[in-house]
Amino acid sequence: MKIKSFTFGLLITVMLSSCIVYHPQSTDIPLISKKNDLRVDAGISLIPSAQATISYGLTDKIAVQGFGSIGSEERYYLQAATGLYKNLGNSQVFEVYGGFGHGYGNAYKGANPGHLYGNYQLYFTQFNFGKIATEHSNFEVGVGVKAGYLNSYLTDDNYYSVKPETTPNVEYHDKSLLFEPVGVMRVGGSKLRFSLRLGGALIYKFTNTENNLPYSKVNIGLGLNYRL
């Protein structure tokens, strides 16, 4: 019964993917542990999209990261971040990143029909913690929390309300708080591993609160992770 409910939930998520502007991003939790540590992760997610993350240990304390995704309905998202990391010993790693993201999303409401579309920017901080592989185990696990300020510029073409044909589309400039937890598991060989990511999102709007921002609260990603 639980398996059927979970499968049904996944199908509903895919079916509603054309009804959202934003979804949780399948960004890798790299767990950089030393200078010149390089992680490359690429894959797909349940909300139809393909994505890739590159993370690199620039110094003994500083790491950099780039991420990009492209999905259905012309959606895309790009982000860059710089952070600090610390190897805590016993294969445990802590990271904190600060960065900027830019994306485009759109949502359709078939009953009207209606269309909501536009760009958004995200200023964020992310904290990661996890356990990396050892000589005796190639299993890795990590959790992260991203929090940031979401600045969106959206055009309403009969999405929130139907307007006369001669009336111009309504422009919305929304300011919101984004909270995005993510978890990752990796298993495989010493360098190449399969990765599974589960992400969530909560968005709290400060402006135009009478109109809900259409977004997905859950996303699942699958991919390959290479460590050099």
Side-chain angles (χ1 to χ4, degrees):
M1 187 67 179
K2 291 183 179 180
I3 295 177
K4 290 183 178 179
S5 299
F6 180 72
T7 303
F8 179 74
L10 294 183
L11 290 174
I12 292 297
T13 302
V14 174
M15 290 172 62
L16 294 178
S17 63
S18 63
C19 305
I20 59 174
V21 169
Y22 183 84
H23 63 79
Q25 304 297 331
S26 292
T27 311
D28 183 35
I29 298 178
L31 302 176
I32 299 296
S33 61
K34 59 184 179 180
K35 182 179 179 180
N36 297 326
D37 196 359
L38 174 66
R39 293 271 192 171
V40 179
D41 188 280
I44 58 175
S45 65
L46 180 65
I47 307 296
S49 63
Q51 62 275 322
T53 310
I54 300 178
S55 310
Y56 181 68
L58 195 62
T59 72
D60 291 328
K61 296 181 179 180
I62 299 174
V64 293
Q65 184 182 73
F67 170 81
S69 72
I70 184 170
S72 60
E73 307 296 340
E74 300 180 343
R75 296 190 194 99
Y76 71 85
Y77 176 75
L78 301 170
Q79 84 172 31
T82 303
L84 301 174
Y85 69 91
K86 185 174 180 59
N87 191 331
L88 303 175
N90 195 29
S91 303
Q92 297 180 352
V93 176
F94 175 78
E95 302 173 307
V96 56
Y97 290 91
F100 170 78
H102 175 83
Y104 173 85
N106 54 45
Y108 294 93
K109 185 180 290 185
N112 293 336
H115 188 197
L116 182 69
Y117 58 93
N119 297 306
Y120 57 86
Q121 293 82 41
L122 176 64
Y123 305 87
F124 68 90
T125 300
Q126 180 165 340
F127 298 90
N128 297 332
F129 175 78
K131 193 174 181 66
I132 58 176
T134 66
E135 295 181 357
H136 307 290
S137 173
N138 284 320
F139 177 76
E140 297 186 328
V141 61
V143 292
V145 176
K146 177 193 289 184
Y149 173 74
L150 185 65
N151 196 19
S152 57
Y153 299 84
L154 302 176
T155 299
D156 176 17
D157 182 7
N158 292 326
Y159 185 87
Y160 290 123
S161 61
V162 179
K163 59 179 178 58
E165 292 184 2
T166 56
T167 303
N169 293 333
V170 180
E171 305 289 335
Y172 285 101
H173 177 199
D174 281 337
K175 302 176 181 179
S176 309
L177 177 66
L178 172 76
F179 180 75
E180 193 168 312
V182 62
V184 62
M185 293 188 298
R186 294 189 284 261
V187 63
S190 59
K191 293 186 180 296
L192 184 64
R193 301 180 179 92
F194 292 99
S195 62
L196 171 65
R197 292 177 298 279
L198 175 62
L202 289 174
I203 296 177
Y204 177 80
K205 293 180 65 177
F206 299 123
T207 57
N208 301 310
T209 55
E210 69 279 6
N211 296 323
N212 292 326
L213 178 69
Y215 73 98
S216 174
K217 294 183 178 180
V218 180
N219 194 15
I220 297 175
L222 296 172
L224 291 174
N225 187 281
Y226 181 77
R227 182 183 185 185
L228 182 61

